[in-house]
Amino acid sequence: PGGRPSANLLTLDDIVVREWGDTAVIAAEWRFRRGEGGPVQRGPCTIVLFRTEGGYRIVHTHFSNA
């Protein structure tokens, strides 16, 4: 909803999810392509979520180029 269409593409691959009580941690590899046919950039990422009455909420993200 909103904004304008973009040819950019961000995906997550090799996703691993671990849960500890109301906290979940996702580790994955991000891949980003700017525009159609552009070079693919990639790196590791971590997303931390906390469970609330309304569902999971992202409380922290980290993306690296390493």
Side-chain angles (χ1 to χ4, degrees):
R4 58 188 171 153
S6 173
N8 296 339
L9 179 65
L10 175 65
T11 60
L12 297 179
D13 295 311
D14 302 325
I15 299 169
V16 176
V17 179
R18 293 192 174 94
E19 292 185 71
W20 294 276
D22 289 333
T23 303
V25 177
I26 298 171
E29 179 180 84
W30 62 267
R31 295 176 191 208
F32 179 72
R33 185 187 73 215
R34 184 179 306 277
E36 294 183 23
V40 175
Q41 300 170 327
R42 63 181 66 191
C45 72
T46 305
I47 304 169
V48 179
L49 301 101
F50 186 76
R51 185 185 353 238
T52 68
E53 290 181 10
Y56 278 99
R57 302 289 184 235
I58 296 172
V59 295
H60 178 77
T61 61
H62 179 261
F63 288 80
S64 176
N65 289 327

